[in-house]
Amino acid sequence: MKAMTLLTSSAFMMMAAMAVALVTNFCGWFPSETLNPDVRSNLTIGTLVVMLTLSMSRIPLQNLNPFKYGKSICRAIFLGMVVASIIPLVGYFLLKDTEYTKQAAGLVFIAATPFAGSVLPLSIILRGDAEHAARGTIVVYILSLVWIPFIVWLALGDSVDMEFLVITVLELIGIPLVLSRLLTKLKIDKNILAAFLNCCIFFMVWLSVGATNFSGNELWIFIVFIIIAILRSFGLGLGVEKVEKKAGIHWGQRVTDILMTSYKNKGVAIALCVALYPPGMVAIATSILVEITWVAFMDSVLFSKKRMEKELAGEAAE
């Protein structure tokens, strides 16, 4: 198998990143003195800004009018922001009065962040509704400039420096939104872009999971975080699949809706948590491990080529 094939496979790169990060962590090989929290925060923010700028630059300028496509926009907001935030928020409020309230704060950052910027390219690859994905990405990320500070303030209040949070959100999302519009006409080979973005994801997974201090926490809290992550990724994703398929919604819309609901932008959560509330990284790192498994499941089972061809053929025959 060619190296480029592996580099362009999100599932492979994420699984490889998880393996390397866990080995680095549990063997004590992470260079924590060199890559201290401040350095990790700056590296994560810088990497994410580049990733989001390039990802959103692939979104064309046409067919983005939110008034003309109100139904599509409302669906993206409801699924990608409201529904996707419920489970981690409920998990945080259930754990907030326990001894692990600081670790559980990571769930708030997961709840606050939008869906992954790769929802559009994945929708294109999986024959989803690319225009719906493009419109939803732009609108949801614009709304996230307000949504993220609101959710964090609602749950964590004065325990977080809100001024610093707003500035960080503007850096993470505001800058890519502006810069990406300047790069829409820049031609980038899709395989090179996919490989580059996957390498960035590999780096951020290693940087976050490899550096997270899992020691000093009882086993039960990890089990709780894993259950919450499974419900948020597998539960919501398969739930949307079942409900929409039963309602007769076709493959294209269903694929994009599932991605919007179940696939969070963990990079934003990592960057915010490392910068503002480091103890919360335990919940985020645990969630990343589950989400990587979810991506592999979507790639090999839920959105497999065989299943896609069968469903599309069935729809064409209707």
Side-chain angles (χ1 to χ4, degrees), residues 115-116 118-120 122-123 126 254-264 294 298 303:
F115 51 75
S118 56
V119 163
L120 173 58
L122 284 174
S123 292
L126 299 169
R254 211 162 71 236
V255 165
T256 302
D257 284 350
I258 291 169
L259 290 170
M260 286 180 171
T261 310
S262 66
Y263 192 19
K264 281 278 193 179
W294 168 242
M298 285 193 293
F303 300 143

Side-chain angles (χ1 to χ4, degrees), residues 225-251:
F225 287 151
I226 287 172
I227 291 172
I228 292 171
I230 289 173
L231 289 174
R232 200 206 59 73
S233 295
F234 284 84
L236 288 179
L238 294 175
V240 171
E241 156 73 8
K242 184 174 181 180
V243 170
E244 292 198 349
K245 188 172 184 180
K246 189 174 182 181
I249 294 175
H250 284 184
W251 174 271

Side-chain angles (χ1 to χ4, degrees), residues 126 251 299-301 303-310:
L126 299 169
W251 174 271
D299 182 61
S300 60
V301 180
F303 300 143
S304 68
K305 186 176 180 180
K306 183 178 180 181
R307 184 168 184 256
M308 176 175 65
E309 291 174 348
K310 181 179 179 181

Side-chain angles (χ1 to χ4, degrees), residues 160-218:
V160 170
D161 184 340
M162 292 305 298
E163 182 180 350
F164 184 57
L165 172 64
V166 171
I167 292 172
T168 306
V169 170
L170 287 173
E171 290 176 347
L172 284 172
I173 296 177
I175 292 175
L177 279 170
V178 174
L179 292 180
S180 66
R181 297 303 85 201
L182 303 176
L183 300 176
T184 52
K185 294 184 179 180
L186 178 66
K187 293 184 179 180
I188 305 175
D189 183 86
K190 63 179 182 180
N191 287 326
I192 293 176
L193 179 61
F196 176 76
L197 293 177
N198 282 336
C199 287
C200 289
I201 292 172
F202 184 105
F203 174 68
M204 287 202 297
V205 170
W206 173 78
L207 195 64
S208 56
V209 177
T212 300
N213 182 13
F214 292 106
S215 62
N217 298 292
E218 294 182 20

Side-chain angles (χ1 to χ4, degrees), residues 144-161:
S144 291
L145 294 171
V146 176
W147 177 258
I148 293 173
F150 171 70
I151 293 296
V152 174
W153 171 81
L154 180 70
L156 301 178
D158 296 335
S159 63
V160 170
D161 184 340

Side-chain angles (χ1 to χ4, degrees), residues 105-136:
L107 297 171
V108 175
F109 292 100
I110 294 173
T113 54
F115 51 75
S118 56
V119 163
L120 173 58
L122 284 174
S123 292
I124 294 172
I125 292 169
L126 299 169
R127 304 282 291 276
D129 188 337
E131 289 190 354
H132 169 46
R135 286 191 295 270

Side-chain angles (χ1 to χ4, degrees), residues 17 19 33 48 60 65 68 89 103 123 135 153 157 161 172 184 213 219 253-254 277:
E33 292 185 3
L48 193 59
N65 190 330
K68 186 177 179 180
L89 279 179
Q103 289 89 334
S123 292
R135 286 191 295 270
W153 171 81
D161 184 340
L172 284 172
T184 52
N213 182 13
L219 178 61
Q253 180 183 319
R254 211 162 71 236
Y277 215 105

